[in-house]
Amino acid sequence: MELKGIYVPLVTPFAEDGSVALDALEKLAGSVLDDGAAGLVALGTTGEPATLSAEERRAVVEVCAAVCAGRGGRLLVGAGGPDTRAAAEELAGLRARVPEAAAALVTPPSFVRPGEAGTVAYFRALAEASSVPLVVYHIPYRTGQQLSAAALLELAAVPGVVGVKYATGGLDEAAVELLAGRPEGFAVLSGEDAFLPALLALGGAGGILASAHLATARFVELAAAWEDGDVPRARALGHRLTALAAAAFAAPNPAVVKGVLHAQGRIPTPDVRLPLLPAGPVEVARALELATGLDH
């Protein structure tokens, strides 16, 4: 299995009464796939899964799975947790619950900080138990666990681990070493929207990007430009998309993205659930302006 291209970690739209707006989610999922996204992520950070009930999480995954099945997109499902036994059990049954799942997106265990050796052992245990391939979600400013290039390359060699969403706040030496030494078929995907152009230039396979909600076709175009070797087009478009990405993260994710999607009439409210707060009008207006400007 080779992961490649732009994946959109879908927001969870909320209706006026606070319930999950599943109809809006279905339309949003279809629109980003129609615009060229390689696939969707259900229950990624952008989807606010920690604030969803178990029933709501199941419904979100079902909608995303149906849309991917109908349009040929790949579905990644957020899974895992600090309890290794519970995470392994969840992953063992994922294929049966969600036959459309192409892979699971799994963070190192948050708060525990097991060290690099413990993190690698954790993923070995999960990969052995899992019914689907795993993508490591390396985001140390959320998990508290940093990983060196050596640890990442060790993870890349684990059977059943097929990629990493690299979200360390930028591009560092570890990312460069990982890209240079990764085994064939192991995908390095940007999890930092503003650094997608740089990661693609270094040989990255694509990205899992919240801001791609707002300009899916343009992000797909950027990835294609790098693959085609069209450096002038890739650089020019990359600068514009980096500005959009920065604006989309001017407030805690996914508040700005939801504000823009609501302003565009694509979701019924801009609401997020506490402890998140909605983005302010200035942040939303700036991101909307940049997204609209990409069409001109």
Side-chain angles (χ1 to χ4, degrees), residues 231-243:
V231 175
R233 180 164 64 103
R235 282 179 176 166
L237 183 55
H239 288 313
R240 300 175 74 190
L241 289 174
T242 294

Side-chain angles (χ1 to χ4, degrees), residues 20 31 34 37 70-71 94 111 115 127 145 199 233 247 254 261-262 281 291:
V20 175
S31 71
D34 289 346
R71 286 173 164 81
L94 183 56
F111 195 75
Q145 180 60 62
L199 191 81
R233 180 164 64 103
L261 291 173
H262 174 61

Side-chain angles (χ1 to χ4, degrees), residues 11 59 65 79 82 91 100 109 115 117 149 155 176 199 205 219 233 236 246 262 268 278 283:
V11 301
L91 289 163
E100 300 84 357
L155 285 170
V176 176
L199 191 81
F219 278 100
R233 180 164 64 103
H262 174 61
E283 290 88 355

Side-chain angles (χ1 to χ4, degrees), residues 16-286:
E16 293 285 354
D17 64 1
S19 64
V20 175
L22 294 175
D23 288 349
L25 177 66
E26 181 180 11
K27 290 177 183 176
L28 186 63
S31 71
V32 300
L33 290 179
D34 289 346
D35 282 344
L40 309 174
V41 178
L43 306 182
T45 307
T46 306
E48 303 172 72
T51 67
L52 302 179
S53 68
E55 182 179 352
E56 288 172 331
R57 290 194 295 271
R58 283 193 297 270
V60 165
V61 172
E62 287 173 2
V63 168
C64 293
V67 174
C68 281
R71 286 173 164 81
R74 278 183 164 166
L75 176 64
L76 278 59
V77 179
D83 183 337
T84 306
R85 291 174 297 177
E89 183 178 350
E90 177 189 10
L91 289 163
L94 183 56
R95 179 75 76 190
R97 296 192 307 275
V98 190
E100 300 84 357
L105 182 65
V106 182
T107 66
S110 299
F111 195 75
V112 179
R113 299 182 70 185
E116 291 189 337
T119 299
V120 172
Y122 170 82
F123 277 101
R124 287 190 189 280
L126 296 192
E128 185 175 346
S130 182
S131 56
V132 300
L134 305 184
V135 176
V136 177
Y137 185 1
H138 181 37
I139 184 163
Y141 51 81
R142 288 187 184 270
T143 66
Q145 180 60 62
Q146 186 58 260
L147 296 172
S148 66
L152 290 165
L153 287 168
E154 192 173 355
L155 285 170
V158 173
V161 176
V162 296
V164 60
K165 178 182 178 181
Y166 201 86
T168 64
L171 282 183
D172 51 18
E173 186 175 343
V176 176
E177 291 184 34
L178 174 63
L179 285 160
R182 71 193 186 281
E184 185 175 354
F186 183 83
V188 180
L189 300 165
S190 178
E192 297 290 349
D193 300 33
F195 289 92
L196 173 68
L199 191 81
L200 291 172
L202 290 169
I208 299 175
L209 312 167
S211 55
H213 283 87
L214 310 181
T216 308
R218 292 298 194 180
F219 278 100
V220 172
E221 181 185 348
L222 174 65
W226 277 115
E227 186 173 9
D228 294 343
D230 189 345
V231 175
R233 180 164 64 103
R235 282 179 176 166
L237 183 55
H239 288 313
R240 300 175 74 190
L241 289 174
T242 294
L244 173 61
F249 284 83
N253 186 50
V256 175
V257 170
K258 279 190 158 184
V260 174
L261 291 173
H262 174 61
Q264 293 172 332
R266 298 170 67 189
I267 60 175
T269 73
D271 295 349
V272 290
R273 285 183 177 170
L274 283 171
L276 293 172
L277 296 173
V282 173
E283 290 88 355
V284 173
R286 177 57 177 159

